[in-house]
Amino acid sequence: EEIFTMTIIRTYTTGSDNREMGEFTFDVERKFEGILSVIAGDIEAGTGTLAMEGSMHLVDEFRGDISVGYFSMIDTTKVKLGEDDDDDNAGGIGGMQIKSTI
């Protein structure tokens, strides 16, 4: 098992010029922290399936880092893309680039 960390920043734009509030843009940042583990297959052989679980955080400039829930994910990218075990995994395991620390 390894520690898994992923940050997603999503930008939203709303409103319009001819409205009282005008047009504005804001970012929402979510940080996912938890455990990365292999639940099937062999990562070294390129046939492994990864699972991640842990807590989800809202990163806010006023309130700081707040725990807002939990997550549980299983990487099924290879299955969805129809890749077989002989494919080159140069783009990452199941199409994902994961940086983790122990």
Side-chain angles (χ1 to χ4, degrees):
E1 292 183 347
E2 294 187 34
I3 294 174
F4 171 79
T5 303
M6 174 176 65
T7 301
I8 298 174
I9 300 173
R10 185 166 181 187
T11 302
Y12 294 91
T13 302
T14 190
S16 62
D17 288 334
N18 48 351
R19 298 274 175 141
E20 189 175 304
M21 292 192 57
E23 187 174 359
F24 59 97
T25 301
F26 61 96
D27 293 331
V28 174
E29 182 176 340
R30 294 282 192 268
K31 184 169 56 171
F32 300 83
E33 296 180 327
I35 302 296
L36 171 71
S37 57
V38 179
I39 58 172
D42 180 6
I43 294 298
E44 299 296 324
T47 61
T49 300
L50 298 175
M52 292 77 64
E53 63 182 4
S55 59
M56 181 174 57
H57 301 258
L58 166 67
V59 181
D60 183 79
E61 63 184 276
F62 300 107
R63 294 186 247 163
D65 188 332
I66 302 166
S67 180
V68 294
Y70 300 94
F71 72 93
S72 182
M73 296 186 279
I74 297 176
D75 179 18
T76 60
T77 307
K78 273 181 109 172
V79 174
K80 288 182 181 179
L81 296 177
E83 298 176 10
D84 52 36
D85 294 338
D86 295 330
D87 286 349
D88 180 19
N89 283 330
I93 299 167
M96 293 176 59
Q97 293 292 333
I98 298 174
K99 294 180 181 177
S100 60
T101 57
I102 298 176

PDB file of all heavy atoms in Angstrom, residues 70-100:
ATOM      1  N   TYR A  70     -15.656  11.345   1.899  1.00  0.00           N
ATOM      2  CA  TYR A  70     -14.796  10.197   1.645  1.00  0.00           C
ATOM      3  C   TYR A  70     -14.929   9.765   0.199  1.00  0.00           C
ATOM      4  O   TYR A  70     -15.928  10.049  -0.451  1.00  0.00           O
ATOM      5  CB  TYR A  70     -15.161   9.030   2.576  1.00  0.00           C
ATOM      6  CG  TYR A  70     -15.022   9.392   4.023  1.00  0.00           C
ATOM      7  CD1 TYR A  70     -16.096   9.865   4.761  1.00  0.00           C
ATOM      8  CD2 TYR A  70     -13.787   9.295   4.652  1.00  0.00           C
ATOM      9  CE1 TYR A  70     -15.961  10.227   6.091  1.00  0.00           C
ATOM     10  CE2 TYR A  70     -13.633   9.655   5.980  1.00  0.00           C
ATOM     11  CZ  TYR A  70     -14.721  10.110   6.689  1.00  0.00           C
ATOM     12  OH  TYR A  70     -14.574  10.474   7.992  1.00  0.00           O
ATOM     13  N   PHE A  71     -13.928   9.051  -0.315  1.00  0.00           N
ATOM     14  CA  PHE A  71     -14.001   8.536  -1.675  1.00  0.00           C
ATOM     15  C   PHE A  71     -13.464   7.111  -1.710  1.00  0.00           C
ATOM     16  O   PHE A  71     -12.692   6.692  -0.862  1.00  0.00           O
ATOM     17  CB  PHE A  71     -13.227   9.427  -2.651  1.00  0.00           C
ATOM     18  CG  PHE A  71     -11.729   9.324  -2.513  1.00  0.00           C
ATOM     19  CD1 PHE A  71     -11.007   8.433  -3.284  1.00  0.00           C
ATOM     20  CD2 PHE A  71     -11.039  10.114  -1.602  1.00  0.00           C
ATOM     21  CE1 PHE A  71      -9.628   8.326  -3.154  1.00  0.00           C
ATOM     22  CE2 PHE A  71      -9.661  10.026  -1.462  1.00  0.00           C
ATOM     23  CZ  PHE A  71      -8.961   9.136  -2.248  1.00  0.00           C
ATOM     24  N   SER A  72     -13.913   6.383  -2.716  1.00  0.00           N
ATOM     25  CA  SER A  72     -13.431   5.035  -3.005  1.00  0.00           C
ATOM     26  C   SER A  72     -13.464   4.879  -4.513  1.00  0.00           C
ATOM     27  O   SER A  72     -14.512   5.045  -5.139  1.00  0.00           O
ATOM     28  CB  SER A  72     -14.320   3.989  -2.329  1.00  0.00           C
ATOM     29  OG  SER A  72     -13.824   2.704  -2.580  1.00  0.00           O
ATOM     30  N   MET A  73     -12.303   4.620  -5.131  1.00  0.00           N
ATOM     31  CA  MET A  73     -12.209   4.511  -6.588  1.00  0.00           C
ATOM     32  C   MET A  73     -11.493   3.232  -6.983  1.00  0.00           C
ATOM     33  O   MET A  73     -10.574   2.800  -6.299  1.00  0.00           O
ATOM     34  CB  MET A  73     -11.423   5.693  -7.165  1.00  0.00           C
ATOM     35  CG  MET A  73     -12.059   7.034  -6.967  1.00  0.00           C
ATOM     36  SD  MET A  73     -11.155   8.345  -7.815  1.00  0.00           S
ATOM     37  CE  MET A  73      -9.831   8.665  -6.648  1.00  0.00           C
ATOM     38  N   ILE A  74     -11.914   2.677  -8.097  1.00  0.00           N
ATOM     39  CA  ILE A  74     -11.228   1.542  -8.711  1.00  0.00           C
ATOM     40  C   ILE A  74     -10.909   1.948 -10.141  1.00  0.00           C
ATOM     41  O   ILE A  74     -11.788   2.416 -10.862  1.00  0.00           O
ATOM     42  CB  ILE A  74     -12.091   0.265  -8.697  1.00  0.00           C
ATOM     43  CG1 ILE A  74     -12.370  -0.158  -7.257  1.00  0.00           C
ATOM     44  CG2 ILE A  74     -11.406  -0.858  -9.482  1.00  0.00           C
ATOM     45  CD1 ILE A  74     -13.295  -1.339  -7.128  1.00  0.00           C
ATOM     46  N   ASP A  75      -9.659   1.792 -10.557  1.00  0.00           N
ATOM     47  CA  ASP A  75      -9.229   2.162 -11.902  1.00  0.00           C
ATOM     48  C   ASP A  75      -9.706   1.113 -12.902  1.00  0.00           C
ATOM     49  O   ASP A  75      -9.169   0.008 -12.960  1.00  0.00           O
ATOM     50  CB  ASP A  75      -7.713   2.298 -11.943  1.00  0.00           C
ATOM     51  CG  ASP A  75      -7.200   2.653 -13.331  1.00  0.00           C
ATOM     52  OD1 ASP A  75      -8.009   3.121 -14.148  1.00  0.00           O
ATOM     53  OD2 ASP A  75      -6.004   2.464 -13.582  1.00  0.00           O
ATOM     54  N   THR A  76     -10.719   1.462 -13.673  1.00  0.00           N
ATOM     55  CA  THR A  76     -11.244   0.555 -14.701  1.00  0.00           C
ATOM     56  C   THR A  76     -10.953   1.096 -16.098  1.00  0.00           C
ATOM     57  O   THR A  76     -11.571   0.669 -17.062  1.00  0.00           O
ATOM     58  CB  THR A  76     -12.765   0.359 -14.532  1.00  0.00           C
ATOM     59  OG1 THR A  76     -13.408   1.634 -14.658  1.00  0.00           O
ATOM     60  CG2 THR A  76     -13.089  -0.273 -13.193  1.00  0.00           C
ATOM     61  N   THR A  77     -10.007   2.015 -16.211  1.00  0.00           N
ATOM     62  CA  THR A  77      -9.718   2.659 -17.490  1.00  0.00           C
ATOM     63  C   THR A  77      -9.351   1.648 -18.566  1.00  0.00           C
ATOM     64  O   THR A  77      -9.815   1.748 -19.700  1.00  0.00           O
ATOM     65  CB  THR A  77      -8.573   3.678 -17.322  1.00  0.00           C
ATOM     66  OG1 THR A  77      -8.909   4.560 -16.261  1.00  0.00           O
ATOM     67  CG2 THR A  77      -8.363   4.475 -18.577  1.00  0.00           C
ATOM     68  N   LYS A  78      -8.509   0.665 -18.251  1.00  0.00           N
ATOM     69  CA  LYS A  78      -8.108  -0.333 -19.248  1.00  0.00           C
ATOM     70  C   LYS A  78      -9.316  -1.073 -19.810  1.00  0.00           C
ATOM     71  O   LYS A  78      -9.419  -1.311 -21.000  1.00  0.00           O
ATOM     72  CB  LYS A  78      -7.134  -1.344 -18.635  1.00  0.00           C
ATOM     73  CG  LYS A  78      -5.701  -0.948 -18.688  1.00  0.00           C
ATOM     74  CD  LYS A  78      -4.840  -2.017 -18.077  1.00  0.00           C
ATOM     75  CE  LYS A  78      -4.068  -2.712 -19.146  1.00  0.00           C
ATOM     76  NZ  LYS A  78      -3.072  -3.633 -18.600  1.00  0.00           N
ATOM     77  N   VAL A  79     -10.258  -1.428 -18.956  1.00  0.00           N
ATOM     78  CA  VAL A  79     -11.447  -2.162 -19.387  1.00  0.00           C
ATOM     79  C   VAL A  79     -12.297  -1.281 -20.293  1.00  0.00           C
ATOM     80  O   VAL A  79     -12.753  -1.715 -21.342  1.00  0.00           O
ATOM     81  CB  VAL A  79     -12.267  -2.639 -18.172  1.00  0.00           C
ATOM     82  CG1 VAL A  79     -13.569  -3.269 -18.611  1.00  0.00           C
ATOM     83  CG2 VAL A  79     -11.451  -3.598 -17.332  1.00  0.00           C
ATOM     84  N   LYS A  80     -12.497  -0.034 -19.918  1.00  0.00           N
ATOM     85  CA  LYS A  80     -13.315   0.883 -20.711  1.00  0.00           C
ATOM     86  C   LYS A  80     -12.716   1.167 -22.075  1.00  0.00           C
ATOM     87  O   LYS A  80     -13.425   1.338 -23.057  1.00  0.00           O
ATOM     88  CB  LYS A  80     -13.525   2.197 -19.966  1.00  0.00           C
ATOM     89  CG  LYS A  80     -14.456   2.066 -18.802  1.00  0.00           C
ATOM     90  CD  LYS A  80     -14.671   3.411 -18.140  1.00  0.00           C
ATOM     91  CE  LYS A  80     -15.597   3.257 -16.968  1.00  0.00           C
ATOM     92  NZ  LYS A  80     -15.830   4.527 -16.283  1.00  0.00           N
ATOM     93  N   LEU A  81     -11.380   1.257 -22.144  1.00  0.00           N
ATOM     94  CA  LEU A  81     -10.719   1.559 -23.408  1.00  0.00           C
ATOM     95  C   LEU A  81     -10.480   0.320 -24.261  1.00  0.00           C
ATOM     96  O   LEU A  81      -9.995   0.431 -25.371  1.00  0.00           O
ATOM     97  CB  LEU A  81      -9.383   2.266 -23.143  1.00  0.00           C
ATOM     98  CG  LEU A  81      -9.492   3.635 -22.459  1.00  0.00           C
ATOM     99  CD1 LEU A  81      -8.108   4.196 -22.188  1.00  0.00           C
ATOM    100  CD2 LEU A  81     -10.303   4.588 -23.306  1.00  0.00           C
ATOM    101  N   GLY A  82     -10.800  -0.849 -23.755  1.00  0.00           N
ATOM    102  CA  GLY A  82     -10.634  -2.081 -24.513  1.00  0.00           C
ATOM    103  C   GLY A  82      -9.191  -2.496 -24.666  1.00  0.00           C
ATOM    104  O   GLY A  82      -8.857  -3.247 -25.575  1.00  0.00           O
ATOM    105  N   GLU A  83      -8.333  -2.021 -23.801  1.00  0.00           N
ATOM    106  CA  GLU A  83      -6.923  -2.406 -23.872  1.00  0.00           C
ATOM    107  C   GLU A  83      -6.768  -3.846 -23.429  1.00  0.00           C
ATOM    108  O   GLU A  83      -7.473  -4.319 -22.555  1.00  0.00           O
ATOM    109  CB  GLU A  83      -6.078  -1.521 -22.950  1.00  0.00           C
ATOM    110  CG  GLU A  83      -6.099  -0.061 -23.322  1.00  0.00           C
ATOM    111  CD  GLU A  83      -5.322   0.792 -22.336  1.00  0.00           C
ATOM    112  OE1 GLU A  83      -4.619   0.234 -21.477  1.00  0.00           O
ATOM    113  OE2 GLU A  83      -5.428   2.011 -22.446  1.00  0.00           O
ATOM    114  N   ASP A  84      -5.816  -4.534 -24.049  1.00  0.00           N
ATOM    115  CA  ASP A  84      -5.532  -5.880 -23.549  1.00  0.00           C
ATOM    116  C   ASP A  84      -4.181  -5.874 -22.860  1.00  0.00           C
ATOM    117  O   ASP A  84      -3.463  -4.893 -22.869  1.00  0.00           O
ATOM    118  CB  ASP A  84      -5.621  -6.940 -24.645  1.00  0.00           C
ATOM    119  CG  ASP A  84      -4.792  -6.611 -25.872  1.00  0.00           C
ATOM    120  OD1 ASP A  84      -3.709  -6.048 -25.712  1.00  0.00           O
ATOM    121  OD2 ASP A  84      -5.239  -6.929 -26.981  1.00  0.00           O
ATOM    122  N   ASP A  85      -3.870  -6.963 -22.244  1.00  0.00           N
ATOM    123  CA  ASP A  85      -2.672  -7.039 -21.399  1.00  0.00           C
ATOM    124  C   ASP A  85      -1.368  -6.859 -22.159  1.00  0.00           C
ATOM    125  O   ASP A  85      -0.348  -6.603 -21.558  1.00  0.00           O
ATOM    126  CB  ASP A  85      -2.641  -8.380 -20.650  1.00  0.00           C
ATOM    127  CG  ASP A  85      -3.782  -8.480 -19.656  1.00  0.00           C
ATOM    128  OD1 ASP A  85      -4.304  -7.415 -19.255  1.00  0.00           O
ATOM    129  OD2 ASP A  85      -4.154  -9.603 -19.289  1.00  0.00           O
ATOM    130  N   ASP A  86      -1.384  -6.979 -23.500  1.00  0.00           N
ATOM    131  CA  ASP A  86      -0.164  -6.839 -24.270  1.00  0.00           C
ATOM    132  C   ASP A  86       0.127  -5.398 -24.659  1.00  0.00           C
ATOM    133  O   ASP A  86       1.147  -5.099 -25.258  1.00  0.00           O
ATOM    134  CB  ASP A  86      -0.240  -7.698 -25.546  1.00  0.00           C
ATOM    135  CG  ASP A  86      -0.306  -9.181 -25.207  1.00  0.00           C
ATOM    136  OD1 ASP A  86       0.249  -9.569 -24.155  1.00  0.00           O
ATOM    137  OD2 ASP A  86      -0.910  -9.945 -25.985  1.00  0.00           O
ATOM    138  N   ASP A  87      -0.772  -4.454 -24.349  1.00  0.00           N
ATOM    139  CA  ASP A  87      -0.575  -3.055 -24.711  1.00  0.00           C
ATOM    140  C   ASP A  87       0.594  -2.456 -23.946  1.00  0.00           C
ATOM    141  O   ASP A  87       0.903  -2.843 -22.833  1.00  0.00           O
ATOM    142  CB  ASP A  87      -1.825  -2.222 -24.408  1.00  0.00           C
ATOM    143  CG  ASP A  87      -2.936  -2.484 -25.413  1.00  0.00           C
ATOM    144  OD1 ASP A  87      -2.666  -3.143 -26.433  1.00  0.00           O
ATOM    145  OD2 ASP A  87      -4.072  -2.037 -25.170  1.00  0.00           O
ATOM    146  N   ASP A  88       1.221  -1.463 -24.574  1.00  0.00           N
ATOM    147  CA  ASP A  88       2.308  -0.727 -23.927  1.00  0.00           C
ATOM    148  C   ASP A  88       1.719   0.247 -22.915  1.00  0.00           C
ATOM    149  O   ASP A  88       0.860   1.045 -23.233  1.00  0.00           O
ATOM    150  CB  ASP A  88       3.096   0.031 -24.994  1.00  0.00           C
ATOM    151  CG  ASP A  88       4.245   0.823 -24.420  1.00  0.00           C
ATOM    152  OD1 ASP A  88       4.663   0.530 -23.286  1.00  0.00           O
ATOM    153  OD2 ASP A  88       4.736   1.715 -25.133  1.00  0.00           O
ATOM    154  N   ASN A  89       2.170   0.202 -21.680  1.00  0.00           N
ATOM    155  CA  ASN A  89       1.658   1.067 -20.616  1.00  0.00           C
ATOM    156  C   ASN A  89       2.502   2.318 -20.435  1.00  0.00           C
ATOM    157  O   ASN A  89       2.568   2.865 -19.338  1.00  0.00           O
ATOM    158  CB  ASN A  89       1.593   0.299 -19.285  1.00  0.00           C
ATOM    159  CG  ASN A  89       0.413  -0.625 -19.257  1.00  0.00           C
ATOM    160  OD1 ASN A  89      -0.606  -0.366 -19.863  1.00  0.00           O
ATOM    161  ND2 ASN A  89       0.566  -1.727 -18.550  1.00  0.00           N
ATOM    162  N   ALA A  90       3.121   2.813 -21.506  1.00  0.00           N
ATOM    163  CA  ALA A  90       3.983   3.981 -21.384  1.00  0.00           C
ATOM    164  C   ALA A  90       3.213   5.202 -20.898  1.00  0.00           C
ATOM    165  O   ALA A  90       3.779   6.097 -20.293  1.00  0.00           O
ATOM    166  CB  ALA A  90       4.641   4.278 -22.730  1.00  0.00           C
ATOM    167  N   GLY A  91       1.908   5.279 -21.158  1.00  0.00           N
ATOM    168  CA  GLY A  91       1.102   6.412 -20.732  1.00  0.00           C
ATOM    169  C   GLY A  91       0.655   6.304 -19.296  1.00  0.00           C
ATOM    170  O   GLY A  91      -0.104   7.135 -18.823  1.00  0.00           O
ATOM    171  N   GLY A  92       1.063   5.281 -18.575  1.00  0.00           N
ATOM    172  CA  GLY A  92       0.649   5.104 -17.184  1.00  0.00           C
ATOM    173  C   GLY A  92      -0.206   3.864 -17.062  1.00  0.00           C
ATOM    174  O   GLY A  92      -0.656   3.285 -18.029  1.00  0.00           O
ATOM    175  N   ILE A  93      -0.438   3.437 -15.859  1.00  0.00           N
ATOM    176  CA  ILE A  93      -1.233   2.241 -15.601  1.00  0.00           C
ATOM    177  C   ILE A  93      -2.690   2.547 -15.904  1.00  0.00           C
ATOM    178  O   ILE A  93      -3.266   3.426 -15.297  1.00  0.00           O
ATOM    179  CB  ILE A  93      -1.052   1.777 -14.149  1.00  0.00           C
ATOM    180  CG1 ILE A  93       0.416   1.447 -13.906  1.00  0.00           C
ATOM    181  CG2 ILE A  93      -1.947   0.592 -13.830  1.00  0.00           C
ATOM    182  CD1 ILE A  93       0.776   1.282 -12.466  1.00  0.00           C
ATOM    183  N   GLY A  94      -3.272   1.838 -16.843  1.00  0.00           N
ATOM    184  CA  GLY A  94      -4.681   2.065 -17.191  1.00  0.00           C
ATOM    185  C   GLY A  94      -4.945   3.468 -17.682  1.00  0.00           C
ATOM    186  O   GLY A  94      -6.038   3.981 -17.568  1.00  0.00           O
ATOM    187  N   GLY A  95      -3.953   4.120 -18.287  1.00  0.00           N
ATOM    188  CA  GLY A  95      -4.136   5.465 -18.795  1.00  0.00           C
ATOM    189  C   GLY A  95      -3.998   6.557 -17.742  1.00  0.00           C
ATOM    190  O   GLY A  95      -4.207   7.720 -18.040  1.00  0.00           O
ATOM    191  N   MET A  96      -3.656   6.199 -16.497  1.00  0.00           N
ATOM    192  CA  MET A  96      -3.536   7.195 -15.432  1.00  0.00           C
ATOM    193  C   MET A  96      -2.079   7.452 -15.103  1.00  0.00           C
ATOM    194  O   MET A  96      -1.268   6.531 -15.101  1.00  0.00           O
ATOM    195  CB  MET A  96      -4.229   6.699 -14.152  1.00  0.00           C
ATOM    196  CG  MET A  96      -5.712   6.575 -14.264  1.00  0.00           C
ATOM    197  SD  MET A  96      -6.461   5.872 -12.780  1.00  0.00           S
ATOM    198  CE  MET A  96      -5.970   7.024 -11.531  1.00  0.00           C
ATOM    199  N   GLN A  97      -1.761   8.697 -14.854  1.00  0.00           N
ATOM    200  CA  GLN A  97      -0.437   9.047 -14.346  1.00  0.00           C
ATOM    201  C   GLN A  97      -0.606   9.275 -12.849  1.00  0.00           C
ATOM    202  O   GLN A  97      -1.311  10.180 -12.436  1.00  0.00           O
ATOM    203  CB  GLN A  97       0.090  10.312 -15.013  1.00  0.00           C
ATOM    204  CG  GLN A  97       0.381  10.132 -16.487  1.00  0.00           C
ATOM    205  CD  GLN A  97       1.558   9.204 -16.732  1.00  0.00           C
ATOM    206  OE1 GLN A  97       2.449   9.076 -15.900  1.00  0.00           O
ATOM    207  NE2 GLN A  97       1.572   8.567 -17.883  1.00  0.00           N
ATOM    208  N   ILE A  98      -0.010   8.442 -12.040  1.00  0.00           N
ATOM    209  CA  ILE A  98      -0.176   8.533 -10.592  1.00  0.00           C
ATOM    210  C   ILE A  98       1.186   8.761  -9.945  1.00  0.00           C
ATOM    211  O   ILE A  98       2.134   8.034 -10.217  1.00  0.00           O
ATOM    212  CB  ILE A  98      -0.807   7.254 -10.010  1.00  0.00           C
ATOM    213  CG1 ILE A  98      -2.200   7.064 -10.591  1.00  0.00           C
ATOM    214  CG2 ILE A  98      -0.847   7.303  -8.492  1.00  0.00           C
ATOM    215  CD1 ILE A  98      -2.835   5.763 -10.195  1.00  0.00           C
ATOM    216  N   LYS A  99       1.260   9.806  -9.134  1.00  0.00           N
ATOM    217  CA  LYS A  99       2.464  10.057  -8.345  1.00  0.00           C
ATOM    218  C   LYS A  99       2.108   9.776  -6.908  1.00  0.00           C
ATOM    219  O   LYS A  99       1.151  10.321  -6.384  1.00  0.00           O
ATOM    220  CB  LYS A  99       2.925  11.495  -8.505  1.00  0.00           C
ATOM    221  CG  LYS A  99       3.377  11.813  -9.908  1.00  0.00           C
ATOM    222  CD  LYS A  99       3.828  13.249 -10.014  1.00  0.00           C
ATOM    223  CE  LYS A  99       4.246  13.524 -11.440  1.00  0.00           C
ATOM    224  NZ  LYS A  99       4.623  14.927 -11.613  1.00  0.00           N
ATOM    225  N   SER A 100       2.828   8.892  -6.290  1.00  0.00           N
ATOM    226  CA  SER A 100       2.523   8.550  -4.899  1.00  0.00           C
ATOM    227  C   SER A 100       3.813   8.512  -4.095  1.00  0.00           C
ATOM    228  O   SER A 100       4.891   8.370  -4.638  1.00  0.00           O
ATOM    229  CB  SER A 100       1.808   7.208  -4.828  1.00  0.00           C
ATOM    230  OG  SER A 100       2.616   6.194  -5.377  1.00  0.00           O
TER     231      SER A 100
END
